[in-house]
Structure formats: C-alpha cells, structure tokens
Amino acid sequence: MTAADPKVTLDLALAHGLTAEEYDRIIQLLGREPTYTELGLFSALWSEHCAYKHSKVFLRLLPTKAPHVLQGPGENAGIVDLGDGWALVLKMESHNHPSFIEPFQGAATGVGGILRDIFTMGARPIATLDSLRFGDPEDPKTRYLIGGVVSGISWYGNCFGVPNVGGEVAFAPEYQGNPLVNVMCVGLVRRDRIFRARAEGVGNPVFYVGAKTGRDGIHGATMASAVFEEGAEERRPTVQVGDPFTEKMLLEACLEAMAGGAVVGIQDMGAAGLACCSSEMPSRAGTGMEVELSRVPRRETGMTPYEIMLSESQERMLLVVAQGREEEVRTIFAKWELDAVEIGRVTGDGLLRVRMDGQLVAEVAVRALTEEAPVYEKPTARPGWLAALHAFDPLSLPEPADYEAALLRLLAAPTIASKQWVYRQYDQQVGINTLVLPGSDAGVLRIKGTSKAIAVTTDSNARHVFLDPYQGAALAVAEAARNLACSGARPLAVTDCLNFGSPERPEILWQFAEAIRGISEACRALEIPVVSGNVSFYNETEGEAILPTPVIGMAGLLEDAGWRTTQWFKSAGDRIALIGPDAVSLGGSEYLAILDRRLAGRPAPLDLRVERDVQAACRAAIEAGLVSSAHDAAEGGLAVALAEACISGPEAVGAEVELPSLGRHDLTLFGEGPSRIVVSVPPRAQRHFESLMGECQVPWRFIGTVGDERLTLKVGGSVLVSLSLDQIAHAWRTGFDRYVG
Amino acid sequence: MRFGVVIFPGTWSDCDFHYVIGEVLRQPVKYIWHRDTDLRELDCMILPGGFSYGDYLRAGAIAGRSPVVEALPDFVARGGFVLGSCNGFQILCEAGMLPGALLRNECLQYRCQSTSLFLENAETPFTRGLRPGQVLKMPISHGEGKYYADPDTLRALKARNQIVFRYCTESGDVTKEANPNGSLENIGGIVNEAGTVLGLMPHPERAAETAMGGTDGLLLFHSLIGSLVEDGSALKR
C-alpha cells in the first residue's frame, strides 16, 4: 500500500461501479478489506465488459462445437480449420461508448483492439469489416459522428496495412445518443502455430512489450459498463489514443518472436490493461503471476500502482517467455524499436502478486478476479410495448400513388444507398488477396498457395430484432449465411457482437435472452458454430435504449476460389430467377421506415429448413457454374434487390421482370422476407439450372431477363416501374453522400 | 534480374511486391532491411507502399533519411534501377531523388480506388515495352498523393520528358474528373533525368494478376526486365 492511496470504503467501491453485495463478496474472498489497487482490479475485472456477469448464463446456450473448431469462446479470438494446414482466426468487438465520446479515436482504437486480438493468436490479420449504426441522418451530430468514425477506422486500418473488405452502415433514430461501432477482423495462421493467452510454466519470465503506459483509458472497461447520462462527453479522457504505426511494429515483432518459438503465451493489454492480462493469463493455466510495476515502461511520471494496472494505453502486449530465451525476445523487439521488459514471472501459487519498488500493493487469488466474478441471472420480462406494435397492419396504410417514386426513395435511403463514400476511404486490397471488393454480398479473399478462398460478412436487421428478438436474431444468422451462399461460400463460423441496452432492465434482458435463443436455434439449424464474440450492454443515453442489435459476423470457405460470385447482373440475355418462398411482410420493413417513418408490424416468418435448402441450392448452382450473379433480397425487398443487381457492378445493365402478385403491389415489390435470392442464369445453363432446382426441392421461378437500358417491373401484366438505369443509379449513388459530403 | 524489396518500419506493400516478383514474374527477389546499405547483388530496388515511420512528420520524411535510401544514389550511379510506389514515391521525393512533393489529397480524405493512367513517356526502362498514349489501369491507395512542383520544376520536368503517367479517364482523356487527388496537371508518376528512378502513386503490384482485376502493373516489370536483357543483362559496376 502506498501512502498516497485513498482509504478503501464502501462508498469508494460504489463509486467504482461495484454493488454493496459485490463489495462484501470481495471482503469475503480476500478475508480482509481490499487495498486501493485491489479495489481497482476487482472493479475492472468484475465489470460487465470483462466478466460478462449479466450475459454468461444466456451465452451458454450458443452452439460452440464442431469438428473444424480449433478454438471456441474464452480466448482472445476463435479459430476454425481451413484445411491445407491453414486456420482462420476471427473475432468481432464493439467500441460504441468511446466512439460516441470521441468518434475518431474511439473508432480507431476499436480497430486496434480487434487487430491485437487476432495477432495474439499467432495469426496475421488479413481483413477487417465494420458494422456501424447511427441516428437520424438529418441531424448535424450524425454527420460529425460518421465523419469521425469512418476517418478513424480509415486512419488506423490503412496505416497498419489491413484491407477493409465489407460491413454495413445503417440508420435509426434509436442510435442518436448511442451509435454503434463494431469491428470484425479475420487472420490466417498455420494450424500448428497457434498461440494462446495462457501463463504456462512456473518460473517463466513475464515480458511487457510495446508502447509505454500512460494515464489514458483508465477505467475504460468500467465506462463501457454503464449507461450514458447527460454530459457523457466529459468522459473524453477515458478514451484511449491510438498509434497504428506502433501497432504494426508490435505485429511484426510478436509474429517474429512467436515464429522463433520463444513465446509460451501472449495476451493483448486491452480492456482493463495489465490488470486483465496478469489475472486472466494465469487463471487459464491454473498458475499465478507476480509483477514489479516499477519496471513497466511509462510515459508519464508519478503514476501509482492503481493507475499502471488499470491504464488502457494502446498497443501493448503481455508475453510469457520460455525461460532462457529472454535475450532472443529482447533482440527481436529492439529490431522493431519497441520496449520489451521483463516485469515478473509465472508462479505456482495461484496468486496475482503486484509490487511497486518491492513493496506489495496487491495480493489476490487470480481465480477470485476471474472465475469467481459474480454471475447474475436477473429477471426478464416481455416488453409491454410489443403487443401494440404487432397489432399494426401495414396494409392499413394507403398504397403509394407512384411506385417509381417509392422505389427511388428507397434506393436513396441512407441505409440502402451505395456506401462507396465510406469504403473508398479504406484500403481494400493491401495483401493482394481481395477477390471481391466491398459492394457485393460478402468480401472474398484468396488464400495464397491454395485453390481456396474465404468469404466474410456482417449482418443484423435491428428493426426485425426489436419487433421479434428471437426471430430477428435468427434472421441475422440466416442473412449472414445467405450472403456467404450468394458469394459461393459454405459458412464456417460465427463471431457475434451483441449490442443491447441495460441488462438491469427486465425488458432489455428479455430482448437479449430471446436474441441468444434465436442465434442458437439458427446456428444449430444451419450447423454453424459460434467461436467468439462480445457483449456490449448499457447502450442507452438518458434512459433511451438502442434497438437491440446482435450483429453477426460470419466467415465461410470456398473450396475453389473460382466459384466466387458477385451480386450484379453480367450479361444481357441471362434469365433472372428468384430462389425462395413468397412469404413477405411490410412489418418492420425499410419501406415502412422510409415512407411512413414507422417501426411496427410483424416481420415474415423464418423457416430455417427452407433457409438451409435455399442456401444449399444457391451454392450448388454456383459450384456447377450455372449462375452469373447471386444477390440476397433483404432491406427494400425484391424491387431494391433487382435494382441493386442492375447498377452495383462495374457496368450497369437493365432488366425486365414480371413478378408474381403477392397481394398489394407494395407488398410484392417492397415486402421483406427471409430465404430469397435473386440469381441470373446464362441461357446455356438454363436447362441444367431448372433440373438442379428440382433436385434441390426449393421454391423457385424465372421472373425475367437481363438486358436493355431500363429496369422494368411488371405485376399481373401491368408495368409498375420503368426507370432508366441513370435514374436508379443516381438515386442509389447519391443517397448516402448527401448526408456526409 | 535481381530485385530487392525494402522494408522500413511501417511498410506494408513489401510482401505484395515480393509475391508478384517472385511468384508471378519468377525473378530472384529478397527483402532489404532499412538499415542495410550493401546493394551490390541487386539490379532493381523497390520502395514499396505503406506508412514508413507512421508517416509522422510528413509522408516519407523519416524514411527519406534512412541508411538504405542514402545508399541509393550510389546504386543508381552504378546503373541500378529504383521503383518507388505510393509511400516509395513520397520517400524518393523527400530524399531529393525525384523533384516535387506529394501533398494531402485535395479531397482531404484517403482514396482507395481504381485509376486509369495515360502513358506520356514510353522511353524509360520501365515503359519501353509500351506505346505512348497507352492507358494502364492500376489502383491507388493513399491520403497524400497530390503531386506538386513549382513552375520552374514543372517546366524542367516537361522539357526533359520526365512525366511518365497522368491520371486519365478509361478512354485516355486527361481531365479534372479523372484526377483522384488533385495532382498538378494530373501527374501520377515521374522519372529522374536518366529515367532509371521511377516514382508513382499507383500500385503496380496490385494489378499483376487477372484474379486481382488486371495485369497492367506487370507491363512495367516486363519493360524493365526487357531493358536489362537488351543491355546485355549486366549492370555497369
């Protein structure tokens, strides 16, 4: 204990975000009052962000096992086998709170954190994706946030040298006070060169490597575990500051040290910094650790043990090194101009022992900080507001007078319109693996030295989750898998980022529990394990929660990179087919949100068996070389999917389509339903395609032909839409830019 | 032809160039650390893209004063070739091996996109296999690629035919709309007076395979390798 430390009291514990019961439990575990440093450790490690205390009981439902899973949840990232000796590492994480307070650095350090999660496993990051949610696009604050977030992601990822190959940007008023910034990263590692965050080997030295420690980000994990009140911007000092150049050096130095075999275990000093690493690493290995803080490289003077343990300064790692190979590690890090300092060693007594200048400032069982963190099963309650929302019938609204105008408005809606403004600020190609660039259903990357490729995507339709969390979350899984199927890939694994309001409110926790049930059900039906993820609660400002937003990140495999397929029509004369059922609804649709500014109704039901069969049929057609394009019909329904297929490619091409009437024309054109894919089939493949669809036993039909300079949509013989390619392209290309330009 | 690909702290196109030269072009290639100055075994040095030293201070400023770059003038004087792409071009300007400077993009944002390049000078060792006016497609990826030179320098560049590439439309028109970063007179690439040092903002290594969307980047390498063969495959050293 140092003389300057404040006296530890219940009030101080409460001010640290702990509850009175939790404080009692700490005293019980220690058998005494905690020191100030120990209180800091508990408050960080027992925060929602680190301990998952409100979510753990629900997360156990998720299917996490499959023969190809090499690492499931519980490590820095999940890993799946790709064959040929390669494995894919994947993880997604949120940086919502920091990005609202300081959009540029908040988003940038979100990228930095997820990159470290990937390379601590021994992998080289090969791609990132970003899933973003903002409030009202008309609000000037939104413009400021988008600009800051996108340039932060761009700055960090571009400088580091990892391509950004996809993602999504969506808008809803519920994100006004709490935007979402979720970043996914995938990396490649040799199957036999995987590293884990375990402090194995009693007596092994513990090395601090990377950037120096400052006072930035102290209690970032705690901030991420509380709702925003007025004046949240005053928390700007809790946002960390990124340095992508140092991160790049750290990547190269870590991979070099790992390749040589000197590294036993490694963990990123991310949320809760050194406190987290020095307890989680020994906890996983059943060991203990002692550290001497006076050896920690610092960039500020007078830092207390409390501050050093809780700092969230970026670009730092904790390494457990094989005894006797210390010099090797020092030499490699010196080459990359980084600090590498031995600050402690692995012990066998299960304790975390922290000293400052030889004086003991904390001595806690690592299990008390990790395994024995509280786990809550709080009450859930179905929100009362749902009944009235479900009772709303979208068909009680009048039909639009002008279908062409309605389609143009939808194409220009910022959630649907082209996101080129965003992704042209991201390096999409460094590493020369990107076979399909952003702007199609999924990003596709080759794996050099093999015939294979991987496809990656992120998905979530939060409006559907809000109206029905169980089905909406299942739909997010189904849609992500469908996007991969459209690209020619078989899904391998999910990484999820679960963004919700405060779990202390029963209605919010119900949304969460239902969403987990939906993800689990869909993942089981489609046979896709969840291998990693992140929970972000407390996404509320002044009592207003965001829409429940479980973002599904998914990676899939193409055995033959040549199968890769893009969403846009290629050649005049190709027949257009719709694979999938006719069940659609305007409930919770983009149409309702844009034309009536309303979020209500019931989304169309999802049949997971049909979903699986439709995806299998699409993949089979792609693998047999029978389709020129494949595009999932999602937000905006079939009309928007067809328009996008006409104009999103390098060369626009028209289409003439006759749609089967599903009742009212607005339902036929803009109704949204799961399991629907638009493909184009060259004339030579038409017969083969017909017989394949028959074999697959899926609903399907030809609906039109590619060609000409217009998009023409007919229902029951009457022309509802006849627009020139220029008209639809203009709406779609400028719809997003007008809010950000 | 023996290539050396330089790695500065923060370089990221090193692996891409190494792959294209070694695996696509099947030429001998090795990495050169930024502290190395022994370039005797090499014919062409590649300064790849990236953010050397984080581009702190100015893009390429710190790398422009590194040991390997200080060894380049001798290497060039002995008959060696240098190709600097993206950050490599910025470094060559910072080191004074090419005239002018690369400023922040006019749009004040990073740009990653495909560009078309109008070939102005088909007489350099890097472009000898091409015809003047040919349009090449290569992507760019940078935040600081706006080429600038003062009027005297620009006049000299033109007089000595040192402008190699200008950004253009797909059909070869050099227009304002085709200029992705606000470069002076759409300049995308230049050479030194002897034509043996080429700097360009686009990435030829990203346009070297059909699967990556095109192979126009290879044309520079084919010209270069061809030049060496014509010269008797040996450097004067």
Side-chain angles (χ1 to χ4, degrees), chain A residues 154 158-161 243 245 248-249 335-337 421 424-432 435 446 448, chain B residues 9-12 16 19-20 33-35 51 53-54 56 109-112 139 141 205-206 209 211-212:
Chain A
S154 157
N158 294 349
C159 179
F160 178 84
D243 176 0
F245 170 64
K248 165 75 171 163
M249 298 301 94
K335 173 186 162 191
W336 293 99
E337 301 175 28
W421 184 91
R424 73 182 175 194
Q425 298 186 52
Y426 301 151
D427 193 327
Q428 307 144 30
Q429 293 166 303
V430 60
I432 46 172
L435 298 173
R446 67 174 171 186
K448 290 195 196 93
Chain B
T11 297
W12 42 234
D16 299 355
Y19 178 83
V20 167
W33 189 237
H34 64 109
R35 293 187 193 282
F51 283 63
Y53 295 96
Y56 297 143
Q109 286 176 352
Y110 199 92
R111 278 289 177 271
C112 178
S141 185
E205 82 285 6
R206 295 186 185 185
E209 296 161 276
M212 291 295 115

Coordinates of all heavy atoms in Angstrom, one line a residue, chain A residues 154 158-161 243 245 248-249 335-337 421 424-432 435 446 448, chain B residues 9-12 16 19-20 33-35 51 53-54 56 109-112 139 141 205-206 209 211-212:
Chain A
S154 N -10.5 4.4 -41.0 CA -9.6 4.5 -42.2 C -8.1 4.7 -41.8 O -7.2 4.1 -42.2 CB -10.1 5.7 -43.0 OG -9.1 6.2 -43.9
N158 N -5.6 1.6 -42.4 CA -4.8 1.9 -43.6 C -3.3 2.0 -43.2 O -2.4 1.4 -43.9 CB -5.2 3.2 -44.3 CG -6.6 3.2 -44.9 OD1 -7.2 2.1 -45.0 ND2 -7.1 4.3 -45.3
C159 N -3.0 2.6 -42.1 CA -1.7 2.8 -41.6 C -1.1 1.4 -41.2 O 0.0 1.1 -41.5 CB -1.6 3.8 -40.5 SG 0.1 4.0 -39.9
F160 N -1.9 0.6 -40.6 CA -1.5 -0.7 -40.1 C -1.2 -1.6 -41.3 O -0.3 -2.4 -41.3 CB -2.6 -1.3 -39.2 CG -2.3 -2.7 -38.7 CD1 -1.5 -2.9 -37.6 CD2 -2.8 -3.8 -39.3 CE1 -1.2 -4.1 -37.1 CE2 -2.5 -5.1 -38.9 CZ -1.7 -5.2 -37.7
G161 N -2.1 -1.5 -42.3 CA -1.9 -2.3 -43.5 C -2.8 -3.5 -43.5 O -2.3 -4.6 -43.8
D243 N -2.1 4.5 -31.9 CA -0.9 4.7 -32.7 C -0.7 3.5 -33.6 O -0.1 2.5 -33.2 CB 0.3 4.9 -31.8 CG 1.6 5.0 -32.6 OD1 1.5 5.0 -33.8 OD2 2.6 5.2 -32.0
F245 N 1.0 2.9 -36.2 CA 2.4 2.6 -36.5 C 3.0 1.7 -35.5 O 3.6 0.7 -35.8 CB 3.2 3.9 -36.7 CG 4.7 3.7 -36.8 CD1 5.2 3.0 -37.9 CD2 5.6 4.1 -35.9 CE1 6.5 2.8 -38.1 CE2 6.9 3.9 -36.0 CZ 7.4 3.2 -37.1
K248 N 1.6 -1.8 -35.8 CA 2.3 -2.5 -36.9 C 3.6 -3.1 -36.5 O 3.9 -4.2 -36.8 CB 2.4 -1.6 -38.2 CG 3.4 -2.0 -39.2 CD 2.8 -3.1 -40.1 CE 3.7 -3.4 -41.3 NZ 3.4 -4.7 -42.0
M249 N 4.4 -2.3 -35.7 CA 5.7 -2.8 -35.2 C 5.4 -3.9 -34.3 O 6.2 -4.9 -34.3 CB 6.4 -1.7 -34.5 CG 6.8 -0.5 -35.3 SD 7.9 -0.9 -36.7 CE 6.6 -1.1 -38.0
K335 N 14.9 -4.7 -32.6 CA 14.9 -4.6 -34.0 C 13.7 -3.7 -34.5 O 13.8 -2.9 -35.4 CB 14.9 -5.9 -34.7 CG 14.8 -5.9 -36.2 CD 14.6 -7.3 -36.8 CE 14.0 -7.2 -38.2 NZ 13.6 -8.5 -38.7
W336 N 12.6 -4.0 -33.9 CA 11.3 -3.2 -34.3 C 11.1 -2.0 -33.4 O 10.1 -1.4 -33.4 CB 10.1 -4.2 -34.2 CG 10.2 -5.2 -35.2 CD1 10.6 -6.5 -35.0 CD2 9.9 -5.1 -36.6 NE1 10.6 -7.2 -36.2 CE2 10.2 -6.4 -37.2 CE3 9.5 -4.0 -37.4 CZ2 10.0 -6.6 -38.6 CZ3 9.3 -4.3 -38.8 CH2 9.6 -5.5 -39.4
E337 N 12.2 -1.6 -32.7 CA 12.2 -0.3 -31.9 C 11.1 -0.2 -30.9 O 10.5 0.8 -30.7 CB 12.2 0.9 -32.9 CG 13.4 0.8 -33.9 CD 13.5 1.9 -34.9 OE1 12.9 2.9 -34.7 OE2 14.0 1.6 -36.0
W421 N -18.8 6.1 -50.5 CA -18.2 7.2 -49.7 C -17.4 6.7 -48.5 O -16.4 7.2 -48.2 CB -19.3 8.2 -49.2 CG -18.8 9.4 -48.6 CD1 -18.5 10.6 -49.1 CD2 -18.5 9.5 -47.1 NE1 -18.0 11.5 -48.2 CE2 -18.0 10.8 -47.0 CE3 -18.5 8.7 -46.0 CZ2 -17.6 11.4 -45.7 CZ3 -18.2 9.2 -44.8 CH2 -17.7 10.5 -44.6
R424 N -14.4 3.8 -50.0 CA -13.2 4.3 -50.8 C -12.2 5.0 -49.9 O -11.1 5.3 -50.3 CB -13.7 5.3 -51.9 CG -14.1 6.6 -51.4 CD -14.6 7.5 -52.6 NE -15.2 8.7 -52.0 CZ -15.9 9.6 -52.7 NH1 -16.2 9.3 -53.9 NH2 -16.3 10.7 -52.1
Q425 N -12.5 5.2 -48.6 CA -11.6 5.8 -47.7 C -10.8 4.6 -47.0 O -9.9 4.9 -46.2 CB -12.3 6.6 -46.6 CG -13.0 7.8 -47.2 CD -13.6 8.7 -46.1 OE1 -12.8 9.1 -45.2 NE2 -14.8 9.0 -46.2
Y426 N -11.1 3.4 -47.3 CA -10.4 2.3 -46.7 C -9.6 1.6 -47.7 O -10.0 1.3 -48.8 CB -11.4 1.2 -46.2 CG -12.4 1.7 -45.1 CD1 -13.7 1.1 -45.1 CD2 -12.1 2.7 -44.2 CE1 -14.6 1.4 -44.1 CE2 -13.0 3.1 -43.3 CZ -14.3 2.4 -43.2 OH -15.2 2.8 -42.3
D427 N -8.4 1.2 -47.4 CA -7.6 0.3 -48.2 C -8.3 -1.0 -48.3 O -8.5 -1.7 -47.3 CB -6.1 0.2 -47.7 CG -5.2 -0.5 -48.7 OD1 -5.7 -1.3 -49.5 OD2 -4.0 -0.1 -48.7
Q428 N -8.6 -1.5 -49.5 CA -9.4 -2.7 -49.7 C -8.6 -3.9 -50.2 O -9.0 -5.0 -50.4 CB -10.6 -2.5 -50.6 CG -11.5 -1.3 -50.2 CD -12.0 -0.6 -51.5 OE1 -12.2 -1.2 -52.5 NE2 -12.2 0.7 -51.4
Q429 N -7.3 -3.5 -50.5 CA -6.6 -4.5 -51.3 C -5.2 -4.9 -50.8 O -4.6 -5.8 -51.3 CB -6.4 -3.9 -52.8 CG -7.6 -3.8 -53.5 CD -7.4 -2.9 -54.7 OE1 -7.0 -1.8 -54.6 NE2 -7.7 -3.5 -55.9
V430 N -4.7 -4.2 -49.8 CA -3.3 -4.5 -49.3 C -3.3 -5.9 -48.9 O -4.2 -6.5 -48.3 CB -2.9 -3.5 -48.2 CG1 -3.8 -3.6 -47.0 CG2 -1.5 -3.8 -47.8
G431 N -2.2 -6.6 -49.3 CA -2.1 -8.0 -49.1 C -2.4 -8.8 -50.3 O -2.1 -10.0 -50.4
I432 N -2.9 -8.1 -51.4 CA -3.3 -8.7 -52.7 C -4.0 -10.1 -52.5 O -3.5 -11.1 -53.1 CB -2.2 -8.7 -53.8 CG1 -0.9 -9.2 -53.3 CG2 -2.1 -7.3 -54.4 CD1 0.1 -9.4 -54.4
L435 N -10.5 -10.8 -53.6 CA -11.0 -11.2 -54.9 C -12.4 -10.5 -55.2 O -12.7 -10.2 -56.3 CB -11.3 -12.7 -55.0 CG -10.0 -13.6 -54.8 CD1 -10.4 -15.0 -54.7 CD2 -9.1 -13.4 -56.0
R446 N -8.6 -14.6 -51.4 CA -8.0 -15.9 -51.7 C -7.0 -16.3 -50.5 O -6.6 -15.4 -49.8 CB -7.2 -15.8 -53.0 CG -6.0 -14.8 -52.9 CD -5.2 -14.8 -54.2 NE -4.2 -13.8 -54.2 CZ -3.4 -13.5 -55.2 NH1 -3.6 -14.2 -56.3 NH2 -2.6 -12.5 -55.2
K448 N -3.4 -17.6 -50.5 CA -2.3 -17.8 -51.5 C -1.7 -19.2 -51.2 O -1.6 -19.7 -50.1 CB -1.2 -16.8 -51.3 CG -1.6 -15.4 -51.7 CD -0.4 -14.5 -51.8 CE -0.7 -13.0 -51.9 NZ -0.7 -12.4 -50.6
Chain B
P9 N 10.3 0.4 -41.1 CA 9.2 0.2 -40.1 C 7.9 0.9 -40.6 O 7.9 2.1 -40.9 CB 9.8 0.9 -38.9 CG 11.3 1.0 -39.1 CD 11.4 1.2 -40.6
G10 N 6.9 0.1 -40.8 CA 5.6 0.6 -41.3 C 5.3 0.4 -42.7 O 4.3 0.8 -43.2
T11 N 6.2 -0.3 -43.4 CA 6.0 -0.6 -44.8 C 5.0 -1.8 -44.9 O 5.0 -2.7 -44.1 CB 7.3 -1.1 -45.5 OG1 8.2 -0.1 -45.5 CG2 7.0 -1.6 -46.9
W12 N 4.0 -1.7 -45.8 CA 3.1 -2.9 -45.9 C 2.9 -3.4 -47.3 O 2.3 -4.5 -47.5 CB 1.8 -2.7 -45.3 CG 1.0 -1.3 -45.4 CD1 0.5 -0.6 -44.3 CD2 0.5 -0.7 -46.5 NE1 -0.2 0.5 -44.8 CE2 -0.2 0.5 -46.1 CE3 0.6 -0.9 -47.9 CZ2 -0.8 1.4 -47.0 CZ3 0.1 0.0 -48.8 CH2 -0.6 1.1 -48.3
D16 N 3.6 -7.9 -50.9 CA 2.9 -7.9 -52.2 C 3.9 -7.8 -53.3 O 3.8 -8.6 -54.3 CB 1.9 -6.8 -52.2 CG 0.8 -6.9 -51.1 OD1 0.8 -7.9 -50.4 OD2 0.0 -6.0 -51.0
Y19 N 5.8 -11.1 -53.5 CA 5.0 -12.2 -54.1 C 4.9 -12.0 -55.6 O 5.1 -13.0 -56.4 CB 3.6 -12.1 -53.5 CG 2.6 -13.1 -54.1 CD1 2.6 -14.5 -53.6 CD2 1.7 -12.8 -55.1 CE1 1.7 -15.4 -54.1 CE2 0.9 -13.8 -55.6 CZ 0.9 -15.0 -55.1 OH 0.0 -16.0 -55.6
V20 N 4.7 -10.8 -56.1 CA 4.5 -10.6 -57.5 C 5.8 -10.9 -58.3 O 5.9 -11.6 -59.3 CB 4.0 -9.2 -57.8 CG1 4.1 -8.8 -59.3 CG2 2.5 -9.1 -57.4
W33 N 16.4 -4.8 -45.4 CA 16.1 -4.1 -44.2 C 16.6 -2.6 -44.3 O 17.6 -2.4 -45.0 CB 16.7 -4.8 -43.0 CG 16.3 -4.3 -41.6 CD1 17.2 -3.8 -40.7 CD2 15.0 -4.2 -41.1 NE1 16.5 -3.4 -39.5 CE2 15.1 -3.7 -39.8 CE3 13.7 -4.5 -41.5 CZ2 14.0 -3.5 -38.9 CZ3 12.6 -4.3 -40.7 CH2 12.8 -3.8 -39.4
H34 N 15.8 -1.7 -43.7 CA 16.1 -0.3 -44.0 C 17.5 0.2 -43.5 O 18.0 1.2 -43.9 CB 15.0 0.6 -43.3 CG 14.9 0.5 -41.8 ND1 15.3 1.5 -41.0 CD2 14.5 -0.6 -41.1 CE1 15.1 1.0 -39.7 NE2 14.7 -0.2 -39.8
R35 N 18.1 -0.7 -42.6 CA 19.5 -0.3 -42.1 C 20.6 -0.8 -43.1 O 21.7 -0.5 -42.9 CB 19.7 -0.8 -40.7 CG 18.8 -0.2 -39.7 CD 19.2 -0.7 -38.3 NE 18.2 -0.3 -37.3 CZ 18.0 0.9 -36.8 NH1 18.8 1.9 -37.2 NH2 17.1 1.2 -35.9
F51 N 3.2 3.0 -44.6 CA 3.3 4.3 -43.8 C 4.6 4.2 -43.0 O 4.6 3.9 -41.8 CB 2.1 4.4 -42.8 CG 0.8 4.8 -43.3 CD1 0.2 4.0 -44.3 CD2 0.2 6.0 -42.9 CE1 -1.1 4.4 -44.8 CE2 -1.0 6.4 -43.5 CZ -1.6 5.6 -44.4
Y53 N 7.5 4.8 -40.8 CA 7.6 5.6 -39.5 C 6.2 6.2 -39.3 O 6.2 7.3 -38.7 CB 8.7 6.6 -39.6 CG 10.1 5.9 -39.6 CD1 10.7 5.7 -40.8 CD2 10.6 5.4 -38.4 CE1 11.9 5.0 -40.8 CE2 11.9 4.8 -38.4 CZ 12.5 4.6 -39.6 OH 13.7 3.9 -39.7
G54 N 5.1 5.6 -39.7 CA 3.8 6.1 -39.4 C 3.5 7.3 -40.2 O 2.5 8.0 -40.0
Y56 N 4.7 9.9 -39.8 CA 4.8 11.1 -38.8 C 5.8 12.1 -39.4 O 6.7 11.8 -40.1 CB 5.2 10.6 -37.4 CG 4.2 9.6 -36.9 CD1 4.6 8.5 -36.1 CD2 2.8 9.8 -37.1 CE1 3.6 7.6 -35.6 CE2 1.9 8.9 -36.6 CZ 2.3 7.8 -35.8 OH 1.4 6.9 -35.3
Q109 N -9.3 13.4 -47.9 CA -9.6 12.0 -47.4 C -8.7 11.0 -48.1 O -8.1 11.3 -49.2 CB -11.0 11.6 -47.8 CG -12.1 12.3 -47.0 CD -13.5 11.9 -47.5 OE1 -13.6 11.3 -48.6 NE2 -14.5 12.3 -46.8
Y110 N -8.6 9.9 -47.5 CA -7.8 8.8 -48.1 C -8.6 8.3 -49.3 O -9.9 8.4 -49.3 CB -7.8 7.7 -47.1 CG -6.7 6.6 -47.4 CD1 -5.4 6.7 -46.8 CD2 -7.0 5.5 -48.1 CE1 -4.4 5.8 -47.0 CE2 -6.0 4.5 -48.4 CZ -4.7 4.7 -47.8 OH -3.8 3.7 -48.0
R111 N -8.0 7.8 -50.3 CA -8.6 7.3 -51.5 C -8.1 5.9 -51.9 O -6.8 5.8 -52.1 CB -8.5 8.2 -52.7 CG -9.5 9.4 -52.7 CD -10.9 8.9 -53.0 NE -11.8 10.0 -52.9 CZ -12.4 10.4 -51.8 NH1 -12.2 9.7 -50.7 NH2 -13.3 11.4 -51.8
C112 N -8.9 4.9 -51.9 CA -8.5 3.6 -52.5 C -9.5 3.3 -53.6 O -10.7 3.2 -53.4 CB -8.6 2.6 -51.4 SG -8.2 0.9 -52.0
P139 N -4.7 0.4 -59.3 CA -5.4 1.1 -58.2 C -4.4 2.0 -57.4 O -3.2 1.9 -57.4 CB -5.8 -0.1 -57.3 CG -4.9 -1.2 -57.6 CD -4.4 -1.0 -59.0
S141 N -4.0 3.9 -53.4 CA -4.4 3.8 -52.0 C -3.6 4.7 -51.2 O -2.5 4.3 -50.7 CB -4.3 2.3 -51.6 OG -4.8 2.2 -50.2
E205 N 1.8 -3.6 -58.2 CA 1.8 -4.9 -57.6 C 0.4 -5.4 -57.4 O 0.1 -6.6 -57.2 CB 2.6 -5.0 -56.4 CG 2.0 -4.5 -55.1 CD 1.8 -3.0 -55.0 OE1 2.2 -2.3 -55.9 OE2 1.4 -2.5 -53.9
R206 N -0.6 -4.4 -57.3 CA -2.0 -4.8 -57.1 C -2.7 -5.0 -58.5 O -3.9 -5.3 -58.5 CB -2.7 -3.7 -56.3 CG -2.2 -3.6 -54.9 CD -3.0 -2.6 -54.1 NE -2.4 -2.4 -52.8 CZ -3.0 -1.7 -51.8 NH1 -4.1 -1.1 -52.0 NH2 -2.4 -1.5 -50.7
E209 N -2.2 -9.6 -61.6 CA -2.9 -10.9 -61.8 C -4.3 -10.7 -62.2 O -5.0 -9.8 -61.7 CB -2.9 -11.7 -60.5 CG -1.5 -12.1 -60.0 CD -1.6 -12.5 -58.5 OE1 -1.5 -11.6 -57.6 OE2 -1.7 -13.7 -58.2
A211 N -6.8 -12.4 -61.4 CA -7.7 -12.6 -60.3 C -7.9 -11.3 -59.5 O -8.9 -11.1 -58.8 CB -7.2 -13.7 -59.4
M212 N -6.9 -10.4 -59.5 CA -6.9 -9.2 -58.8 C -7.5 -8.1 -59.6 O -7.5 -6.9 -59.2 CB -5.5 -8.8 -58.3 CG -4.9 -9.7 -57.3 SD -5.8 -9.6 -55.7 CE -6.4 -11.3 -55.6

